[in-house]
């Protein structure tokens, strides 16, 4: 796959990046180098390789899944700028 200057300009527009017209060929070349590297990665044989979270084998610490801050809605709602009937009140955004 090859990126031309028109596509590079489109990608820059989508990313909300201002790129001057004279910089577009260099940006397109950089995109092509990145895509070339990604294509090299697809050539690597990964059959039999287990997916991993980290490069070092480790197990994350686990905790019991239980509620620890519940049972105090009055304290939670005390921080709200507007609370009604036990809920946060927010402005209506959809008519």
């Amino acid at each position: 796959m090859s990126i031309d200057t028109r596509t590079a300009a489109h990608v820059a527009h989508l990313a909300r990046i201002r790129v001057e017209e004279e910089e577009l060929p260099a940006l397109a070349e950089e995109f092509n180098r990145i895509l070339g590297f990604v294509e090299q990665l697809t050539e690597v044989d990964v059959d039999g390789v287990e997916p991993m979270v980290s490069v070092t084998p480790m197990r994350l610490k686990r905790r019991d899944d239980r509620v620890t801050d519940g049972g105090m809605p009055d304290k939670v709602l005390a921080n709200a700028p507007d609370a009604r009937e036990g809920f946060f009140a927010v402005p209506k955004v959809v008519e």
Side-chain angles (χ1 to χ4, degrees), residues 68-88:
T68 55
D69 293 331
M72 57 178 107
D74 296 332
K75 288 183 179 179
V76 172
L77 291 174
N79 294 321
D82 188 10
R84 298 180 198 152
E85 301 175 18
F87 297 97
F88 288 97

Side-chain angles (χ1 to χ4, degrees), residues 2 23 25 30-31 35 37 42 45 49-50 63 69 73 89 93:
S2 180
E23 296 173 346
E30 184 69 24
F31 284 153
L35 289 175
F37 179 72
T42 62
D45 181 22
V49 176
E50 295 277 333
R63 63 172 174 80
D69 293 331
V93 294

Side-chain angles (χ1 to χ4, degrees), residues 27-43:
L27 181 63
E29 182 59 34
E30 184 69 24
F31 284 153
N32 285 321
R33 272 188 253 135
I34 292 168
L35 289 175
F37 179 72
V38 171
E39 286 177 8
Q40 283 181 354
L41 291 177
T42 62
E43 296 173 4

